Amino acid sequence: MSEFLVNLLGERLVNAEKAEVDVHSLGSKLSLLGLYFGCSLNGPCKQFNASLCEFYSKFKKSSEHKDKLEIVFISSDQDQKQWQDFLQEMQWPALPFKDRHKKMKLWNKYKVTSIPSLVFIDAATGKVVCRNGLLVVRDDPKGLEFPWGPKPFAEVVAGPLLRNNRQTTDSSALEGSYVGVYFSAHWCPPCRSLTRVLVESYRKVKESGQKFEIVFVSADRSEESFTQYFSEMPWLAVPYTDEARRSRLNRLYGIQGIPTLILLDTEGHMITRQGRVEILNDPDCRLFPWHPRPVLELSESNAVQLHEGPCLVLFVDAEEEGELEPAKELIQPIAEKIMAKYKAKEEETPLLFFVAGEDDMSDSLRDYTNLPEAAPLLTILDMSARAKYVKDVEEITPAVVEQFVSEFLAEKLKPEPI
């Protein structure tokens, strides 16, 4: 276990007393590690830090599992004194302030998109146990549900579900259906826009004879808003009054923002977290149930994924529909191999794959990242790290792409700033 943690965190952490903490000393009984991503200047982080301190203190004093849990702070502070002052409020160690490279690797590896964020991982393997630790601290203040591992969807959603005619049905009615778990709220404009599209997609899939259901998990601020919003939806919802079940579903899927549409297969296993992108990219629902595609054509609707981790983008000289196909076929076998490798390890793929033609979206991305105008142009863009890797060669072959990807994953490429 300690060897894995050293690879993940490095050999030394620091504590509030500015003393070094040997990662090997975290304890042989350690089974769960909480990675706490935050910043001293962020108000919600300051607020959550107080709650986490209280939670941690109680857990270490009274839980029978006290030796099995540790937390490590991963800061996005830019000022060392502010970081050090914030660390004074904590009872757990932190990554050294100067270790920015390792911090960014952790942000990317665990797909952190906002702070504060607390991700619980298996201390021996690094696999995510619970993506939304903020809700653990709120909902289980005594740590009675340790280690907060994922439960089957059917178990978490179990109970009555509402229809907008006020009738109820039991969650067992979802068995054997593809399910979309829709986290949304009326106060959120992007949510309302997506809901309008989703209503049409839902009807098309149902009319095609497929077994498909959607469960609305509300983030509305009042039952009145929930009722008004739900009246526009032809599917099911967790009752607004059942806050515990809504919170458990948020925790299960590590929801960090809305709208989010999680798509599940007929066994309740996740197909994709990117239901929103899939729905917007496939208005005719021809690709239902929207299994992840190895290579995407860059568009306005899926460009948001560029901010969720490193992305390979192959820019080509293509303006007409269909002209991107040769580029997709070139990189698809490599993308499929990467997806299969990490799926076998039950880990998320460390790299997404895109092809981009000649359009406003591609021009904007080139301008923002200060890329040369060449086409074809092979790049890896890491927006959160504000880093880019560029392979500007006359001919891009599968061997060139494979070597580029392999060297990136092995951290052999030198980044340029975005």
Side-chain angles (χ1 to χ4, degrees):
M1 177 190 66
S2 57
E3 182 181 344
F4 164 76
L5 288 180
V6 168
N7 288 334
L8 186 74
L9 304 172
E11 294 189 354
R12 298 283 184 272
L13 303 173
V14 293
N15 62 20
E17 286 75 42
K18 300 183 181 180
E20 287 191 346
V21 177
D22 187 339
V23 168
H24 291 93
S25 72
L26 292 182
S28 58
K29 295 180 181 179
L30 186 68
S31 63
L32 197 70
L33 183 69
L35 300 176
Y36 169 29
F37 299 84
C39 175
S40 67
L41 299 180
N42 179 280
C45 287
K46 295 282 284 185
Q47 189 174 3
F48 174 69
N49 196 67
S51 301
L52 184 57
C53 284
E54 184 177 355
F55 171 88
Y56 182 88
S57 179
K58 287 180 180 177
F59 190 91
K60 288 295 186 180
K61 285 178 182 175
S62 58
S63 174
E64 60 181 299
H65 306 295
K66 60 185 178 182
D67 295 329
K68 297 180 180 180
L69 172 70
E70 190 50 87
I71 292 171
V72 173
F73 178 50
I74 297 122
S75 169
S76 49
D77 278 289
Q78 301 298 310
D79 181 278
Q80 186 162 0
K81 185 178 187 312
Q82 290 168 339
W83 168 79
Q84 186 67 52
D85 289 345
F86 198 30
L87 196 57
Q88 296 295 314
E89 302 173 20
M90 302 177 189
Q91 305 160 49
W92 47 83
L95 277 187
F97 176 78
K98 294 180 180 179
D99 203 345
R100 298 182 186 277
H101 177 67
K102 199 165 289 293
K103 292 176 187 178
M104 198 51 62
K105 277 184 64 179
L106 289 166
W107 269 76
N108 286 335
K109 180 177 178 67
Y110 293 107
K111 309 290 185 189
V112 177
T113 57
S114 62
I115 54 173
S117 183
L118 177 61
V119 181
F120 288 115
I121 64 171
D122 185 300
T125 66
K127 290 180 181 176
V128 174
V129 174
C130 176
R131 193 172 291 282
N132 200 331
L134 277 67
L135 291 180
V136 168
V137 171
R138 189 191 76 181
D139 297 345
D140 186 24
K142 296 182 179 179
L144 300 178
E145 297 178 37
F146 179 91
W148 311 293
K151 297 177 180 178
F153 169 70
E155 181 180 334
V156 178
V157 81
L161 297 171
L162 293 178
R163 296 195 181 278
N164 61 17
N165 61 5
R166 298 181 179 273
Q167 293 183 343
T168 62
T169 186
D170 191 76
S171 59
S172 59
L174 299 172
E175 292 176 9
S177 293
Y178 292 98
V179 176
V181 191
Y182 184 34
F183 299 85
S184 184
H186 186 263
W187 53 261
C188 161
C191 294
R192 296 199 301 274
S193 296
L194 180 61
T195 296
R196 288 191 288 272
V197 177
L198 190 53
V199 166
E200 290 306 309
S201 298
Y202 176 79
R203 285 180 175 142
K204 286 175 184 174
V205 174
K206 298 284 273 189
E207 287 168 3
S208 74
Q210 299 271 9
K211 293 191 71 177
F212 181 47
E213 195 49 80
I214 294 176
V215 177
F216 170 42
V217 183
S218 173
D220 285 295
R221 292 163 178 163
S222 70
E223 189 166 8
E224 182 181 4
S225 294
F226 161 79
T227 303
Q228 178 186 345
Y229 192 30
F230 185 44
S231 69
E232 305 168 15
M233 303 176 184
W235 45 73
L236 302 169
V238 176
Y240 185 79
T241 53
D242 196 341
E243 186 177 350
R245 191 163 29 144
R246 289 192 287 125
S247 183
R248 285 196 299 271
L249 285 163
N250 272 274
R251 193 200 308 175
L252 177 63
Y253 296 115
I255 302 304
Q256 297 186 35
I258 56 173
T260 295
L261 178 64
I262 305 287
L263 292 167
L264 309 176
D265 66 16
T266 55
E267 301 295 318
H269 301 133
M270 189 186 299
I271 295 174
T272 179
R273 303 179 63 85
Q274 300 295 338
R276 175 189 186 185
V277 171
E278 297 295 344
I279 291 287
L280 294 175
N281 276 346
D282 184 28
D284 294 326
C285 304
R286 291 174 182 162
L287 299 175
F288 177 86
W290 300 295
H291 287 280
R293 285 163 286 165
V295 183
L296 297 173
E297 294 184 18
L298 186 65
S299 68
E300 285 191 24
S301 59
N302 63 31
V304 65
Q305 291 180 258
L306 293 172
H307 296 273
E308 294 180 1
C311 298
L312 180 143
V313 185
L314 173 56
F315 293 89
V316 294
D317 186 6
E319 297 181 11
E320 303 297 326
E321 188 174 346
E323 289 185 343
L324 288 173
E325 283 307 311
K328 288 173 70 175
E329 290 170 5
L330 187 150
I331 63 176
Q332 179 134 340
I334 298 151
E336 288 175 342
K337 191 182 342 181
I338 294 289
M339 285 180 69
K341 176 183 176 180
Y342 283 86
K343 185 175 182 181
K345 296 196 292 185
E346 297 183 3
E347 295 180 13
E348 293 190 51
T349 179
L351 194 60
L352 299 178
F353 292 80
F354 291 85
V355 293
E358 301 265 334
D359 56 28
D360 291 344
M361 182 72 238
S362 296
D363 290 345
S364 296
L365 182 58
R366 281 181 186 266
D367 290 344
Y368 179 75
T369 55
N370 197 26
L371 290 171
E373 289 298 319
L377 183 68
L378 183 62
T379 67
I380 292 175
L381 304 176
D382 187 346
M383 306 297 255
S384 58
R386 299 191 63 79
K388 64 186 177 187
Y389 308 80
V390 181
K391 191 81 169 179
D392 188 0
V393 293
E394 284 190 15
E395 184 182 5
I396 295 176
T397 65
V400 168
V401 177
E402 189 146 20
Q403 182 181 10
F404 188 53
V405 169
S406 175
E407 289 178 350
F408 171 77
L409 295 177
E411 299 184 40
K412 294 179 179 178
L413 298 179
K414 186 176 179 180
E416 301 174 48
I418 290 178

